[in-house]
Amino acid sequence: MYAHYFSHTVNLLINMPRDCYEELLAPMSEVDVTGDNKEVEYDGKNMEAIVILLNFLHDRMDRVQIVES
């Protein structure tokens, strides 16, 4: 059931206008940009929402390729 809601959320996010993505990208403070958080930071913004979105879409593409094979 969780995957079903997650899929709907991703579908909503990929269909919203590009200029709305700015609202998902919270600025990171100097404290946040250390250790593990450094890999989700880009240009001073927290890209965690985008990383989760891209990971989900990558997994979805892998599933489609496996089914087509």
Side-chain angles (χ1 to χ4, degrees), residues 28-56:
M28 294 185 79
S29 67
E30 291 297 321
V31 175
D32 293 335
V33 186
T34 59
D36 293 337
N37 288 339
K38 182 67 177 164
E39 57 192 47
V40 296
E41 182 266 336
Y42 178 77
D43 199 26
K45 304 280 185 168
N46 184 336
M47 303 297 284
E48 188 172 8
I50 304 301
V51 169
I52 291 169
L53 178 63
L54 289 174
N55 287 340
F56 179 84

Side-chain angles (χ1 to χ4, degrees), residues 1 12 15 18 22 25-29 31-32 43 53 58-59 61 65 69:
M1 187 71 129
L12 174 71
N15 286 304
R18 257 187 306 176
E22 184 69 28
L25 308 176
M28 294 185 79
S29 67
V31 175
D32 293 335
D43 199 26
L53 178 63
H58 186 266
D59 290 343
M61 284 178 33
Q65 290 175 353
S69 299

